[in-house]
Amino acid sequence: MAYQKGEGKSVVIALGGNALGNTPQEQLELVKNTAEHIVDMVAEGINVVVSHGNGPQVGMINNAFDYASTHDGKTPAMPFPECGAMSQGYIGYQLSQAILNDMKRRGIMRSTACVVTQTVVYPEDPAFQNPTKPVGAFLTEEEAMKRAEETGYTYKEDAGRGWRQVVASPKPQRIVEFDAIKDLMDDGYIVISTGGGGVPVIEKDDSYHGVPAVIDKDRSSAKLAADFKADMLVILTAVEKVCINFNTPEQQELNSMTVAEAQKYIEEGQFAPGSMLPKVEACIEFVQQHPEGKALITSLECAADGLKGKTGTVITA
């Protein structure tokens, strides 16, 4: 059945790692809290697309298959793109279930749809020439070289602890399932998509092919939100507001930033790589591609108030 679309804003929400656990059991409990905050927004008429990270989860799946393949001789090694798809499936299932249960408890007649998402990347992306993201199990040099010969994947020595597969982190170019996500959103579904940035694929001979890589989920969420022309991109993290001079006596919380101000702070080195920097960069990309939209960085607990302009850091063109 088609559900009634909310009368409020359209929002793409990128869940940070603090919203998910390190094991399926821990995650199942944590997503209940996450779902409550998302349903708070749904209850106010906001139309929500939810994306999420998958770093610990895809590593767990990859490690499990690598270990089983190495030790029991019966389990096949699982290609990294398939591990990414598996992580999207089970995280999406748990988020979908938690949101459905909370909506049912509140008497909200809406439903969810989880879309396992592919994200097109360019094979010429410079990131492929320098894969740096370690994934999977530790191997001996002999095992790593054998795997490299069999699969064509890249393995590097990791801080004296052994050899691991390393993958690239290319820039997202297009969400393959965008039309399906938009149609579901227009029909009133709460959509869970683009998990872990989406499974990276390249286009070759008029078809898609998965590649061993990881895409920054905030950048993919920004791309999805811009293409969708969402009113707002919301990137959730562990803090209520973005700060400059972080962890110093001069620390200052920011209520808002323009793109120019954000770029100035980046040049000053105000935002830590691997932490706040990619989130701010994703927000810049969103508002540059869709100047009518706004981006918000805040915590999960403050998201509803942030959408009302009461807290968080807002980035505008």
Side-chain angles (χ1 to χ4, degrees):
M1 64 173 288
Y3 295 86
Q4 184 176 357
K5 190 174 181 180
E7 297 179 357
K9 299 175 181 177
S10 59
V11 175
V12 174
I13 299 174
L15 294 175
N18 58 312
L20 303 172
N22 294 312
T23 68
Q25 295 77 17
E26 181 182 351
Q27 180 175 296
L28 192 59
E29 289 303 312
L30 284 176
V31 296
K32 293 177 182 177
N33 176 58
T34 302
E36 289 181 8
H37 292 286
I38 292 172
V39 177
D40 284 344
M41 303 177 207
V42 174
E44 295 186 12
I46 294 169
N47 298 290
V48 178
V49 176
V50 182
S51 70
H52 58 81
N54 72 341
Q57 294 81 8
V58 73
M60 175 186 68
I61 293 168
N62 199 45
N63 284 340
F65 274 101
D66 275 0
Y67 184 88
S69 175
T70 302
H71 290 81
D72 71 10
K74 299 176 183 177
T75 303
M78 187 60 62
F80 195 73
E82 279 71 9
C83 292
M86 289 179 181
S87 72
Q88 282 195 62
Y90 99 75
I91 296 170
Y93 150 71
Q94 290 191 336
L95 279 168
S96 178
Q97 184 183 80
I99 293 168
L100 279 171
N101 286 344
D102 200 71
M103 288 194 299
K104 184 178 290 188
R105 180 178 62 82
R106 303 192 202 191
I108 298 173
M109 298 303 295
R110 299 279 294 276
S111 191
T112 61
C114 177
V115 181
V116 175
T117 310
Q118 304 170 85
T119 302
V120 173
V121 298
Y122 288 154
E124 301 84 6
D125 192 302
F128 285 112
Q129 303 306 315
N130 183 33
T132 56
K133 179 69 174 176
V135 297
F138 288 97
L139 305 173
T140 65
E141 183 176 1
E142 183 180 357
E143 290 170 335
M145 294 303 100
K146 182 180 178 182
R147 292 278 185 89
E149 185 176 348
E150 292 172 348
T151 64
Y153 295 166
T154 302
Y155 289 80
K156 291 184 180 180
E157 196 271 335
D158 186 355
R161 297 176 294 175
W163 289 66
R164 297 177 76 189
Q165 182 185 348
V166 290
V167 296
S169 184
K171 183 178 179 179
Q173 301 296 331
R174 182 167 60 84
I175 308 300
V176 174
E177 291 78 11
F178 173 77
D179 288 342
I181 296 165
K182 185 177 186 304
D183 287 348
L184 287 163
M185 184 82 162
D186 288 343
D187 282 342
Y189 287 83
I190 293 88
V191 186
I192 299 154
S193 75
T194 327
V199 177
V201 297
I202 60 171
E203 292 182 279
K204 183 180 179 181
D205 300 327
D206 202 31
S207 58
Y208 300 113
H209 303 270
V211 290
V214 290
I215 302 174
D216 182 85
K217 57 94 179 168
D218 293 324
R219 296 187 80 171
S220 287
S221 299
K223 177 63 177 170
L224 178 65
D227 290 349
F228 189 67
K229 299 192 184 303
D231 295 305
M232 188 168 281
L233 168 69
V234 180
I235 295 182
L236 300 181
T237 185
V239 296
E240 183 175 346
K241 295 183 180 182
V242 178
C243 295
I244 55 173
N245 303 315
F246 186 67
N247 264 349
T248 72
E250 291 76 36
Q251 178 173 312
Q252 177 185 347
E253 293 183 336
L254 300 175
N255 296 321
S256 63
M257 289 186 285
T258 63
V259 166
E261 289 169 338
Q263 290 173 331
K264 175 177 174 288
Y265 291 137
I266 289 172
E267 291 171 2
E268 294 173 356
Q270 291 285 358
F271 308 129
S275 179
M276 189 57 73
L277 177 60
K279 299 181 187 332
V280 173
E281 289 176 331
C283 291
I284 290 173
E285 290 176 11
F286 168 64
V287 296
Q288 285 181 329
Q289 293 176 50
H290 178 45
E292 294 80 12
K294 296 180 180 180
L296 170 70
I297 299 176
T298 192
S299 66
L300 174 66
E301 292 74 18
C302 296
D305 281 343
L307 287 172
K308 298 173 184 175
K310 295 181 178 180
T311 190
T313 302
V314 175
I315 297 91
T316 60

